[in-house]
Amino acid sequence: MNDVRPTPHPVRRRTLFGGAAAGLGVAAVSGAVPAGATGGGPAAAKQLLRSFARPGTATAAGFRWWWPNGLVDPREIEREVDQVADAGFGVLEIADVTHSLRARDIEMDLGRYGWGTPSWVRGVKAALARGARRDVRIDITVGPSWPAAVPTVTPDDDAACTELAHGQATVAAGASYDGVVPAPVVAADAASTRSELVAVQAFRDLGTVKAVTTLDPASRVDLTDRVRDGRLTWTAPAEGAWVLLSYWRRGSGQQPEAGPHTDPPSYVVDHFSAAGSDAVVDLWEDRVLDRELRLLLRKAGGYLFEDSLEIETDATIWTPRMLAEFRTRAGYDLLPYLPVVVEAHEKYLFTFDAATTTRVRDDFNQVLSDLYRDHHLLPLQRFARSLGMGLRVQPYGLETDTVEHSALLDVPETESLGFKNLDDYRVMAGGRDLAGHTILSCEAACYNGAAYNTTWDRALQTLNSIFAAGVNQCVLHGFAYADAPGVTWPGFAAFSPYYDGAIGYGEAWGPRTPQWRHMPDVAGYLARTQLVLQTGAPKYDIVFLRQKGWASTGVGPHWVTNNGTAIGWSHSFATGSLLDLPLAKVRRGRLAPDGPAYKAMVIGPDKLRGSEMTIDLDAARKVLGYGRAGLPIVLIGDWSQVHPVGVHTEAELAEVRSLMTRIAALPTTRTVPEAEVGTALAELGVTPDVRHETSTVQHLRRVEGDTDLYYLANAKHAENRKLVAVTQDVWLTATDSSSVPYLLDAWSGTVTPIAAYERDGERVRVSVDLLPGQSTIVALTPPSRSERTPAVVASTGTVRRDGKRVVLRAAAAGAHSVTLASGRVVRTSVDRVREPVVPTSWELSVEDWQPGATATSTVRPVRRTTLTTLAPWSQVPGLEDVSGIGRYRTVVDLGRDWTDEDGALLELGEVNDTFRVTVNGDRLPPCDVLDTTVDLGGRLRRGRNVIEVEVASTLLNRLRTVTPEVYGVAARQAYGLLGPVRLVPYAERTLKV
């Protein structure tokens, strides 16, 4: 029997930013590859306003670019780069993703066309060269599909992904076990042929509840040395039942998704050892890179990319040096605790007492996190930079410190499919922001079962919401290479059909989809929005200190998520590892004043592990220093019985309790239940940057010099949340008290002064009118001398600025007025406003997209009809299964009394999907897909006016008839202009103020 209490350990958790990581300090990781931010100071903010109309490709969105491995034609590669560039996008990420081919059992000659073959390299070179000509950045995945894998290892190699499998046997009290060591309860992958016995132990069985067996840790018997030639003889003690456990290290045999992609097959590398990252780098150095490719990569300046950390094993994730690494990093021996970390089919099977079990598992996950950082992320980052590239990674998927990893990466990336709510994005934004980096990327607009039926109404509601949570680069899911063996119309797509013939994930954007006709409009909107969100530094009200940096959990701080953001509070997240960063200093009561400038820190129980009151000891020391330096701190709950994170000594327990007692006693600290966090902040004098009545409006503030940029969105916190339109006043804080507001229209690219606003000291009130998922951008910046025009604080209509004059728009006849900030009232009158006009008929011509002679060709016969009542195409005879481009034309006669002071709004009602409007041959600027009311301005004239509306659809309705075995399960989508449509006139008067 052994005493398993840990001995005091001088070495605690090693953090990158404390200087203890494997050979790479902060200076080496603090400068990300430039990604389009505008620099610093007032001049940069003014440059933003000047360049907003034409943002270029530096801040443009991009696509996953799915290839059928190396079976690509360089000429087609060049053509597809041109297609993306012509549509206004600026990034393509080469990824070998072939789920649809696997679903059809389509095979290819991987010796000739696999990932990394000369054919693949020729394609990559063509992409890089064309991308350089068209200003499209080309990124490349580190290996075929995901996770990182190479064909140069087998599951039996130390560089391959490793697992710890356990075997078990029950031995009655006083009984003898005489036989072979228990084999693993989880069978090995067929390709894994070698296993190594790590240890054999016996524990007294205290009972099983819900398939979890409680063991007595003090009863442990180490039987490893008694194993002879694979056999064990042992007699159990006379009391109690006993569990005999064996532990076997072996290769997991995991292959990258939808493989094989290479010949021989690739196997996932060990992401927790130097051998694994060495295998990736060596493959590139030995088989992929040549002088020409190196030159192209350095010129392109793109990123190596790795998808999420999907290490899949039915046993326990392991690495050959885990026991030695654990002792060094956690400071105690893991062997006595192995039962509580072993898993089978992603479930724990054994436990000790609850406290010990939790703390050991926390230490185990932290060591895995540190090994992933030191032996995978940092070596790959060094390799990428040696090629003139950066490293972009989705560093989540396990219970690891994604917050810390987001801080060290050149670009951390999130995903809209797997993340559960906006706080999941904010978790990763916290690492980026405290590191002083710029970009938080997102694998965006991917939905289950949405292949060829994704609407931009849905996509924009997602994108506009995640922008409010800190995302500022979208990599859309995705753009598919044109062709592959055995595919059907409209061509190769990575995920459709999916396994078992189901409709796949995401969309295959490109010229194959009718909406591509309008993609330059969407691309411009995204580029301008991302330009704003990559300018300056983000600013937040609150930072929540979390015990764990796990991502994609859906767990957030309830008060601020459910109540605080609804009235204007902003928040972010940090873990103890970030508090060692250079920015993490307190000055004048702000944490990281040169970065996110948090006004207060909130610390609550560990919601990811049973709501325990825990805190990392080093973090507690830092927090005490912050409080003493004047940072307001709010503690949620009773911290008198706090424990350090992980297994700890009595001395560490005493110190952390002393630290938290001293923190609680500071005059700048309040201790409250979670529901009273807002009250505590008010008592501490902490106020939000933004204030408004309760609503779903959320915001992100970025500051560049004396200019404040506010991104405001009627945002979905989670995908299943319902939204309603919001019209309300919003108070925004200005860096410079003389600042005036400007509206930045990311669809049209116009920057216009806001005429109606109110000032109260450093705060400026503006009104927002946002449909569900819609966004707007407001800039507060000091005015030039020519822009000093009085603010309008009240009016009987809507107002806009025209130089030094104000234009009042009236929806009804009668007396009208505007009230200026000085109190002066300026009056005018409107003698008449025309009644709304409802078009009586529409000429409709529809391009009916259908399969052509090959899988990648499309024919577009035109169907024509006249409609006196608007209806979806699926209800129009002859158009029921049509997908394509519809053009609606109507004529409106406005009579002879129409004047230059008359204008009109075109209310289109429901439109599916993207649309453009033309009036009298003049095409309007791009239209917000979410807002189908369009201001026609001065484009109308007396007499007859021709109004045209072009609507683009998805491909689903046609694919339901072309490939019914896949798409026939889906209901028809309602395409086209559904209305009701009205032309609503108004009258304008120019007022001298």
Side-chain angles (χ1 to χ4, degrees):
M1 310 270 181
N2 295 359
D3 183 352
V4 299
R5 290 177 299 175
T7 57
H9 44 280
V11 180
R12 291 305 297 165
R13 205 155 285 104
R14 301 211 301 178
T15 65
L16 170 68
F17 307 112
L24 191 59
V26 182
V29 299
S30 61
V33 173
T38 60
K46 296 296 185 184
Q47 176 59 32
L48 164 72
L49 300 181
R50 286 193 295 268
S51 63
F52 186 68
R54 293 183 162 297
T57 61
T59 61
F63 293 97
R64 295 270 190 278
W65 191 9
W66 295 311
W67 286 15
N69 299 317
L71 188 54
V72 293
D73 182 343
R75 290 169 298 181
E76 174 60 26
I77 291 295
E78 292 172 349
R79 190 169 74 97
E80 293 181 6
V81 172
D82 287 342
Q83 291 167 350
V84 167
D86 291 342
F89 292 89
V91 181
L92 280 170
E93 171 206 301
I94 298 170
D96 290 19
V97 184
T98 56
H99 294 67
S100 63
L101 301 186
R102 182 172 172 181
R104 292 190 177 101
D105 294 322
I106 294 172
E107 297 183 358
M108 65 177 64
D109 184 347
L110 296 175
R112 293 181 62 192
Y113 302 118
W115 184 92
T117 58
S119 176
W120 182 86
V121 172
R122 284 193 295 272
V124 171
K125 289 177 178 178
L128 290 166
R130 197 66 164 193
R133 287 182 57 187
R134 297 303 311 272
D135 203 18
V136 173
R137 193 186 82 214
I138 305 296
D139 297 348
I140 308 172
T141 56
V142 297
S145 193
W146 72 92
V150 296
T152 51
V153 302
T154 71
D156 294 336
D157 294 330
D158 283 350
C161 189
T162 303
E163 63 187 13
L164 187 74
H166 81 283
Q168 67 182 83
T170 300
V171 183
S176 295
Y177 180 92
D178 187 5
V180 297
V181 175
V185 299
V186 175
D189 184 90
S192 179
T193 63
R194 179 172 65 87
S195 60
E196 174 186 322
L197 184 65
V198 174
V200 181
Q201 300 169 336
F203 291 85
R204 192 154 63 92
D205 185 344
L206 301 180
T208 300
V209 177
K210 294 182 178 179
V212 177
T213 301
T214 300
L215 304 177
D216 177 6
S219 69
R220 180 179 64 95
V221 180
D222 189 341
L223 302 172
T224 310
D225 292 342
R226 302 192 189 187
V227 176
R228 298 288 184 275
D229 298 325
R231 296 183 63 84
L232 172 68
T233 300
W234 175 69
T235 300
E239 68 282 354
W242 291 76
V243 176
L244 186 68
L245 294 172
S246 59
Y247 310 94
W248 304 84
R249 178 173 73 85
R250 67 193 186 197
S252 71
Q254 182 181 357
Q255 295 188 41
E257 278 280 318
H261 299 273
T262 57
D263 185 16
S266 291
Y267 288 96
V268 174
V269 300
D270 185 354
H271 283 55
F272 310 101
S273 74
S277 57
D278 286 347
V280 173
V281 173
D282 289 347
L283 175 68
W284 277 81
E285 295 282 8
D286 297 342
R287 300 192 181 185
V288 176
L289 294 168
D290 57 24
R291 184 174 181 275
E292 181 186 8
L293 183 55
R294 288 179 186 274
L295 290 172
L296 288 168
L297 289 171
R298 186 165 294 279
K299 182 178 180 181
Y303 294 86
L304 285 182
F305 171 74
E306 187 173 5
D307 215 304
S308 50
L309 190 57
E310 298 178 30
I311 304 299
E312 297 172 356
T313 170
D314 288 331
T316 304
I317 294 174
W318 201 251
T319 187
R321 286 187 46 80
M322 172 56 83
L323 293 176
E325 292 280 11
F326 190 93
R327 177 177 287 280
T328 298
R329 294 169 184 267
Y332 62 95
D333 189 359
L334 180 61
L335 274 172
Y337 302 94
L338 274 180
V340 302
V341 300
V342 297
E343 299 178 72
H345 306 292
E346 298 185 348
K347 295 185 181 299
Y348 291 116
L349 302 179
F350 303 101
T351 184
F352 294 159
D353 63 278
T356 299
T357 300
T358 293
R359 292 165 193 161
V360 171
R361 288 173 183 169
D362 282 349
D363 282 340
F364 182 79
N365 288 326
Q366 185 63 51
V367 170
L368 273 182
S369 181
D370 292 349
L371 292 174
Y372 173 59
R373 176 196 70 201
D374 295 346
H375 295 317
H376 189 78
L377 296 180
L378 293 179
L380 287 185
Q381 188 175 58
R382 285 193 291 266
F383 172 62
R385 290 178 174 181
S386 75
L387 300 175
M389 306 176 76
L391 183 65
R392 177 167 58 89
V393 176
Q394 297 176 353
Y396 50 84
L398 301 177
E399 294 176 346
T400 48
D401 192 349
T402 301
V403 176
E404 179 193 24
H405 301 156
S406 298
L408 69 89
L409 288 164
D410 296 318
V411 172
E413 182 163 283
T414 62
E415 63 171 282
S416 65
L417 177 66
F419 279 30
K420 300 172 180 62
N421 57 39
L422 296 187
D423 282 338
D424 282 350
Y425 301 96
R426 293 185 178 107
V427 164
M428 293 182 61
R432 172 204 62 183
D433 295 335
L434 266 177
H437 293 175
T438 299
I439 305 298
L440 180 64
S441 184
C442 183
E443 174 189 354
C446 176
Y447 310 100
N448 188 10
Y452 296 116
N453 65 78
T454 299
T455 65
W456 274 102
D457 187 288
R458 182 181 189 182
L460 287 168
Q461 289 201 30
T462 297
L463 295 170
N464 289 342
S465 297
I466 65 178
F467 284 147
V471 169
N472 55 10
Q473 174 182 277
C474 295
V475 182
L476 298 168
H477 191 283
F479 184 102
Y481 181 81
D483 204 359
V487 302
T488 58
W489 184 79
F492 169 69
F495 293 101
S496 194
Y498 201 61
Y499 301 144
D500 300 323
I503 299 175
Y505 288 91
E507 188 59 86
W509 297 110
R512 70 180 68 185
T513 63
Q515 298 134 302
W516 192 257
R517 182 80 56 90
H518 299 160
M519 284 297 263
D521 302 353
V522 176
Y525 168 77
L526 294 176
R528 294 184 191 100
T529 301
Q530 293 184 173
L531 170 62
V532 169
L533 295 175
Q534 293 175 25
T535 298
K539 304 295 177 183
Y540 304 93
D541 300 319
I542 308 167
V543 61
F544 287 84
L545 183 66
R546 287 174 53 140
Q547 294 84 348
K548 297 176 175 64
W550 306 349
S552 190
T553 65
V555 177
H558 295 163
W559 170 81
V560 74
T561 298
N562 296 334
N563 306 104
T565 56
I567 58 175
W569 288 93
S570 62
H571 65 286
S572 188
F573 297 88
T575 56
S577 58
L578 298 191
L579 303 185
D580 288 314
L581 284 163
L583 282 180
K585 303 291 188 293
V586 171
R587 189 172 68 246
R588 291 194 287 275
R590 297 289 182 94
L591 174 60
D594 299 323
Y598 305 117
K599 302 174 183 177
M601 175 179 283
V602 179
I603 309 174
D606 184 357
K607 292 185 178 180
L608 296 176
R609 191 75 90 185
S611 291
E612 291 189 316
M613 308 304 286
T614 62
I615 189 171
D616 182 80
L617 181 56
D618 290 337
R621 293 170 182 148
K622 288 280 196 324
V623 172
L624 178 59
Y626 295 157
R628 286 174 170 170
L631 178 70
I633 296 168
V634 177
L635 301 177
I636 298 175
D638 180 7
W639 286 83
S640 62
Q641 301 301 306
V642 62
H643 286 264
V645 175
V647 172
H648 51 264
T649 65
E650 289 299 319
E652 291 170 329
L653 176 62
E655 183 182 358
V656 80
R657 289 185 176 176
S658 173
L659 288 166
M660 295 308 293
T661 298
R662 284 183 277 169
I663 291 169
L666 293 170
T668 51
T669 297
R670 297 291 184 274
T671 302
V672 296
E674 182 165 7
E676 297 178 17
V677 170
T679 302
L681 292 169
E683 289 179 2
L684 293 167
V686 179
T687 58
D689 286 337
V690 174
R691 285 178 171 170
H692 52 73
E693 296 298 319
T694 300
S695 73
T696 48
V697 171
Q698 300 193 40
H699 77 277
L700 190 79
R701 178 192 186 195
R702 295 186 74 95
V703 176
E704 181 70 85
D706 56 7
T707 296
D708 302 273
L709 299 167
Y710 283 95
Y711 174 85
L712 300 142
N714 186 1
K716 281 188 175 185
H717 177 63
E719 184 68 22
N720 59 358
R721 292 262 184 111
K722 296 296 184 182
L723 295 173
V724 296
V726 174
T727 300
Q728 68 179 172
D729 289 340
V730 177
W731 287 92
L732 309 174
T733 299
T735 299
D736 188 306
S737 60
S738 70
S739 290
V740 295
Y742 290 81
L743 179 67
L744 279 63
D745 185 338
W747 284 97
S748 66
T750 57
V751 178
T752 56
I754 296 174
Y757 67 95
E758 182 180 353
R759 189 191 308 283
D760 183 6
E762 65 179 5
R763 292 184 182 272
V764 175
R765 176 187 60 81
V766 297
S767 179
V768 298
D769 186 2
L770 296 171
L771 295 167
Q774 196 179 18
S775 69
T776 191
I777 300 168
V778 176
L780 303 180
T781 192
S784 65
R785 186 170 300 175
S786 63
E787 296 169 323
R788 299 182 189 276
T789 301
V792 174
V793 296
S795 68
T796 57
T798 60
V799 293
R800 59 182 172 85
R801 286 257 306 275
D802 182 9
K804 287 188 171 292
R805 298 177 183 268
V806 168
V807 178
L808 181 140
R809 176 177 295 180
H816 289 275
S817 65
V818 299
T819 302
L820 306 179
S822 64
R824 186 165 71 92
V825 178
V826 182
R827 305 181 190 280
T828 189
S829 64
V830 174
D831 54 357
R832 68 109 175 96
V833 175
R834 297 284 298 272
E835 292 296 316
V837 178
V838 177
T840 56
S841 68
W842 296 85
E843 296 176 6
L844 172 60
S845 63
V846 180
E847 291 180 4
D848 180 2
W849 289 34
Q850 298 181 21
T854 67
T856 60
S857 62
T858 299
V859 296
R860 301 174 177 84
V862 177
R863 317 293 182 191
R864 291 184 171 85
T865 188
T866 299
L867 302 175
T868 56
T869 300
L870 291 171
W873 300 351
S874 55
Q875 297 177 17
V876 176
L879 302 182
E880 296 92 336
D881 296 308
V882 167
S883 295
I885 307 286
R887 296 177 179 89
Y888 295 77
R889 183 181 184 276
T890 191
V891 177
V892 176
D893 193 332
L894 296 177
R896 304 303 300 171
D897 60 346
W898 190 265
T899 71
D900 291 342
E901 290 187 320
D902 291 318
L905 299 176
L906 178 63
E907 296 178 353
L908 294 175
E910 184 178 352
V911 186
N912 295 310
D913 180 35
T914 57
F915 64 96
R916 286 173 171 170
V917 175
T918 300
V919 177
N920 297 322
D922 181 14
R923 194 172 87 190
L924 273 64
C927 301
D928 184 343
V929 175
L930 299 175
D931 186 357
T932 61
T933 296
V934 182
D935 188 355
L936 303 187
R939 293 175 177 83
L940 296 170
R941 60 199 179 199
R942 66 181 62 184
R944 289 168 51 87
N945 290 264
V946 178
I947 298 175
E948 298 169 286
V949 182
E950 181 180 86
V951 183
S953 77
T954 72
L955 271 185
L956 176 68
N957 289 5
R958 177 53 67 199
L959 282 169
R960 290 178 69 258
T961 65
V962 173
T963 317
E965 64 275 17
V966 177
Y967 302 98
V969 297
R972 287 184 178 122
Q973 289 183 301
Y975 295 153
L977 176 61
L978 278 60
V981 177
R982 293 197 313 163
L983 192 66
V984 182
Y986 55 76
E988 292 189 335
R989 297 293 183 267
T990 300
L991 307 177
K992 186 176 181 180
V993 297

